[in-house]
Amino acid sequence: MRFAALKTALASAALMFGTLPAAAQDWAPQGPVKMMIAFAAGGGADTLGRLLAEELNTRYGWEIIPENVTGKGGVTMAVALKDEPADGLSIGISVTEAVAYAPQTMRSPAYALEDFTFLSTITGTQMGIIAKSDRGWTSLSDVIAAAKAGETITVGAMSQKLADATYVLAKRNGIEFTTVMTGGGKASLNAVIADDVDIGWSAGAQTASVLAGDVVNLASAEDAALKVSPDAPLLAEYDMPYTFGVKFMVMAPDGLPEEVRASWESKIAEILNDPDGKLHAFTKKVFSGPEVIQGAAFTAFMQNSYDANGALLDESAE
């Protein structure tokens, strides 16, 4: 992705955010807000959304009504949110890939980036490629060497994007992997531990097992080192120009008035940046910690993600 452009946009957004007129931050919903959560109750996105709803209520008196609108990795919620009024009374909790990747896999896309106002990121994953410690592999280099020596390597992937990534990673390193689809990050971790696959992708569910010494992160699939495994190499070291971390985010229909958008952004940022808040604590415990990308920076981030996903899809089809 074009990180220089993203950093410039981040800096511009920070300046803009710091000089918002007071009136822009005074908007408050006159009635209940529908919070559409793209994933099932009890999961990470659901917990993030409900904690945000709770703090918006207790801090500012906003009435937020969460509802789970699940299906197709966030697609069902995005389709529903797209047609809601752009008045600040309907927001969505989802992941970036539901908008930056999924539409590009559809024969007739149900929505596009331009159909939404991206309000804020909340936090990010800790995506890594993992193996059982007793395999003796300490980095992805060891796995590649084993594959080049003739060993068949099976890889657990919990999404089509990660299956595409597995193919491209193998192709770029002159080897072959056998992909096995799993039901999620936890399922991928369980498949590795059970020896159902040799290695797997996991977005943070592996952290406890890494700390216990049962599993090792062979590589970071984020754009930075993993918190629990800072010495794990980045995929860039294996000729991969893509990263695979996912951001949890708050979004709204396109056309949100600027004062409404500014109020939402300021409230979300205040909650996420409060070290005594429940949402802040949860992001640090389970994910990468609070991440606040908003405004022009968030729009640029989503466009860069969309472009990178398009390039990955093109390469995986070759």
Side-chain angles (χ1 to χ4, degrees):
M1 293 191 286
R2 299 185 291 273
F3 293 109
L6 180 55
K7 289 180 179 178
T8 299
L10 277 166
S12 299
L15 289 172
M16 291 165 53
F17 186 74
T19 57
L20 283 173
Q25 300 185 52
D26 289 341
W27 177 89
Q30 301 302 303
V33 174
K34 181 193 301 184
M35 174 185 280
M36 304 166 71
I37 302 173
F39 298 93
D46 181 69
T47 303
L48 291 167
R50 290 176 187 276
L51 286 174
L52 176 61
E54 178 184 337
E55 297 206 49
L56 286 166
N57 185 7
T58 57
R59 289 170 184 252
Y60 314 114
W62 292 13
E63 183 184 0
I64 312 296
I65 303 176
E67 62 175 274
N68 298 92
V69 183
T70 64
K72 302 180 181 178
V75 170
T76 300
M77 190 280 285
V79 170
L81 182 66
K82 171 179 173 288
D83 293 329
E84 289 287 318
D87 56 7
L89 299 182
S90 297
I91 63 167
I93 305 294
S94 191
V95 293
T96 48
E97 298 309 272
V99 184
Y101 176 79
Q104 300 190 72
T105 67
M106 302 175 188
R107 181 169 299 176
S108 299
Y111 52 84
L113 286 176
E114 296 75 19
D115 291 321
F116 303 102
T117 299
F118 300 106
L119 294 172
S120 183
T121 56
I122 302 174
T123 189
T125 56
Q126 288 283 279
M127 185 75 74
I129 299 178
I130 61 173
K132 282 180 72 173
S133 298
D134 63 14
R135 294 301 298 265
W137 295 328
T138 60
S139 76
L140 192 56
S141 299
D142 296 330
V143 179
I144 292 171
K148 288 183 175 180
E151 187 171 345
T152 298
I153 305 294
T154 55
V155 184
M158 61 271 202
S159 70
Q160 184 56 51
K161 178 179 177 179
L162 294 179
D164 293 340
T166 300
Y167 170 77
V168 172
L169 176 63
K171 182 179 72 171
R172 282 178 168 263
N173 285 274
I175 58 175
E176 291 185 2
F177 286 143
T178 299
T179 301
V180 177
M181 300 304 297
T182 61
K186 185 67 172 179
S188 185
L189 170 65
N190 290 339
V192 167
I193 291 175
D195 293 318
D196 293 331
V197 296
D198 297 302
I199 63 175
W201 299 82
S202 192
Q206 75 274 29
T207 297
S209 296
V210 171
L211 291 172
D214 299 325
V215 166
V216 59
N217 278 308
L218 301 171
S220 169
E222 303 282 343
D223 57 11
L226 298 173
K227 291 196 304 182
V228 72
S229 304
D231 295 330
L234 302 183
L235 285 183
E237 296 187 25
Y238 302 98
D239 193 30
M240 282 289 278
Y242 315 106
T243 57
F244 300 93
V246 172
K247 306 293 185 191
F248 293 87
M249 65 176 178
V250 187
M251 54 196 285
D254 178 47
L256 211 61
E258 188 55 38
E259 67 274 13
V260 178
R261 176 176 185 161
S263 184
W264 269 108
E265 289 176 349
S266 68
K267 298 298 188 293
I268 294 168
E270 288 170 13
I271 289 170
L272 278 170
N273 289 329
D274 181 359
D276 296 323
K278 291 182 180 180
L279 182 58
H280 180 102
F282 182 72
T283 64
K284 291 191 71 173
K285 178 180 179 181
V286 179
F287 297 102
S288 61
E291 294 187 37
V292 182
I293 307 174
Q294 298 181 343
F298 196 8
T299 301
F301 179 91
M302 291 301 295
Q303 185 63 60
N304 288 338
S305 297
Y306 187 93
D307 293 344
N309 285 325
L312 174 69
L313 282 165
D314 289 343
E315 186 169 355
S316 67
E318 295 175 356

